Amino acid sequence: MPRIAYVNGRYVPHRDASVHIEDRGYQFADGVYEVCEISRGYIIDMPGHLDRLDRSLRELSIGWPVSRKALEMILGEVVRRNRVRDGLVYLQVTRGVARRDHVFPPASVRPALVVTAKSTDPAVSARRAEAGVSVITVPDNRWERVDIKTVGLLPNVLARQKAREAGAYEAWFVGTDGKVTEGSSTNAWIVSQDGRLVTRPAEHGILRGITRGTVIKVAEQLGLKIEERAFTVEEAKAAREAFITSATSIVLPVVSIDGAAVANGHPGSVALSLRAAFFDVAEKCLA
Ligand code: PMP
């Protein structure tokens, strides 16, 4: 079965799916995106992802390419046409196609919309969670508006590649103050020695992860104490647990940081219980 993509109004096989060479996403990274998890045929936390998309678009003065309702239908349609039961749906909106010029094109230029979906094996991610993952730390060299989910991801790509080359799963960005901001595509958390969940406030320096928001709700239901504050690399290394969250990884225990084991080097019980309860709390929309 060929994979099907949605490109500006049409559902097309991947081999025929293309955008113009003067798409501003291609030339300027002038666009935004969202990734939603699909679990057992449900799109997870879609309202939260579309609210964040709305915010990203507004921050950059890019219009909605289609109505929110239409986009919800397109996401479902792409998931169904690709017969994805477990996996991811990706959407990208750029400022559209115009002769290359830094200045915004005229209002008549329509934003461009691409949607793709792919299947992933839930057993692989379950095994990853059972084993835990390693992270390395890298200096945070990104721009200041990382709260906007733009397709300008070069620092994130380089950080993630560095992690891969070091045999680690994720790279944590660290600010000049020695405090962890977030992962290349995940939010970072620790469980302090006195059992509190610690994660950076989502005001500056990080993307407000949708999974992060749902995990806060899960933690509240489990009666855990949450402290929204930044933490240092040293604090993370000395923590009782560490973990990462994102739509693609849900909750993944971190068992080593820059080669140093976190606690006993095994996934912690808090991270695993947050992961286990996640889908009971997350919003599920049938695709
Ligand atoms: N931070 C960054 C830099 C990311 O790219 C992502 C994934 N999109 C996240 C955090 C986690 O966000 P979410 O839970 O919405 O996937």
Side-chain angles (χ1 to χ4, degrees), residues 30-52:
D30 189 0
V32 300
Y33 74 105
E34 282 295 331
V35 181
C36 303
E37 208 222 351
I38 303 153
S39 176
R40 297 175 186 189
Y42 290 92
I43 304 182
I44 303 303
D45 285 336
M46 184 164 71
H49 284 279
L50 295 185
D51 287 349
R52 187 173 63 186

Side-chain angles (χ1 to χ4, degrees), residues 45 189 197 211-224 226 250-251 270-282:
D45 285 336
W189 303 66
L197 274 182
T211 316
R212 177 188 176 282
T214 301
V215 166
I216 288 176
K217 285 190 212 152
V218 177
E220 282 164 353
Q221 290 204 359
L222 295 179
L224 297 164
I226 303 159
I250 305 300
V251 177
V270 171
L272 292 179
S273 54
L274 290 169
R275 183 181 174 92
F278 182 83
F279 290 112
D280 298 337
V281 176

